[in-house]
Amino acid sequence: MSRFRHRSGELVHVAYCTNVHPAEDLDGVIEQLQRFAAPIRAALGSPTLGVGLWLAAPLAASLRADQDALARLRDALDELALEVVTCNGFPYQAFQADVVKLDVYRPDWTTAERTRYTLDVAWALARLLPDDVTAGSVSTLPFGWREGWTDEHTRAARARLTEVAAGLDELALQTGREIRIALEPEPGCIVETTAQAVAALNGLDPKRIGICLDACHLAVQFEDPADAVASLADGSVPVLKAQASAALAVAGTDRALLSQFDEPRFMHQVRTCVDGAVAGCDDLAPALAGQLPADGDWRVHFHVPVHLTDGHTTQPQLHALLGELFGGQRPLTPHLELETYTWEVLPTMLRPHDRDSLVDGLTRELQWLQGELTDLGLEPVR
């Protein structure tokens, strides 16, 4: 399960994101592909499986500098019948540490470290693409976390992205591979919404820089999928990648359910919409403590398995977004990545207890996603 053909004849590449696994060196990445990705492919009965690689910054730098190491990774992917067309370049490193929280937004796009990391990932991806694929994508953070951010920071971030675009031009000339960068709007960041994305990317090169549309983030911000996709089209901002993900969604009478999801590793921004106005809190604990209006539905930035049907997720919004992206006369993005990175911090009754149960959970998510795409008329390519 890696490629689907749209009724237009265009290909859509589907992958699951490996940021759910903690490995940050080459041996560890290859081992996690063997332990998880290969069994998932077997469970799906698919000749190939797409993986959205997450490469920590030190590993990305070493792969760019060491062609033998890069060849070793490429050989492992080939041996395991895995293919890579997209990378997740949002977390810099230590994404599965005991406490991540705001560290996931550092370094931000004002820094040389973010520029180098993104280009390192792009150079590695260009050499990992399948032989018959010439275009790849790298998702990244949307400038940075909002606190302390100024107009000067925005100018610096745009300058860094312009520098990356020039680096990607050079990469294309050297390799013939077109790698593009996709900013991923996220609650609490400078770019939270599609409207802010259009404004932030105005004047930047759309051939190199666009948007990664994350279904969880979109739902948390109470954005309507049809309106969001239309606003990006009107703003000439390409959707270079989409992430299939679901958030928590609870009514006012179900607040007690959320205490099970209050955990220390990741940020879990909370939003509610009252009389058309979106109000927010930066994490679940302060929201539960009373810092968010109690009336109305809450949506929580906690990536929950997309196949769950208990009525407490934004799966309906994900379903609607998939319809907008793939239900028309042509696909609106070539890359779709399943991104549920929170399996290890789910409440006990949902958390996998060993390797096999995580493989089973990820397989069920991919099966659900495959069903959604086939219902929209896409056909798996064998």
Side-chain angles (χ1 to χ4, degrees), residues 103-134:
D103 284 346
V104 75
Y105 308 110
R106 306 182 184 110
D108 62 36
W109 267 107
T110 66
T111 67
E113 290 85 358
R114 177 60 63 174
T115 302
R116 283 196 299 270
Y117 171 51
T118 305
L119 286 173
D120 287 344
V121 173
W123 279 78
L125 176 59
R127 289 159 174 81
L128 293 174
L129 289 175
D131 291 339
D132 62 343
V133 174
T134 60

Side-chain angles (χ1 to χ4, degrees), residues 193 217-224 227 248-252 255 269-281 287 291-300 314 317:
T193 66
H217 303 171
L218 195 74
V220 169
Q221 288 294 144
F222 286 85
E223 289 201 70
D224 177 75
D227 292 344
L248 282 170
V250 299
R255 294 286 188 261
Q269 300 92 315
V270 188
R271 298 290 185 268
T272 189
C273 188
V274 180
D275 296 329
V278 176
C281 194
Q291 292 187 21
L292 196 63
D295 295 335
D297 295 342
W298 283 11
R299 294 182 182 176
V300 184
T314 59
Q317 286 72 32

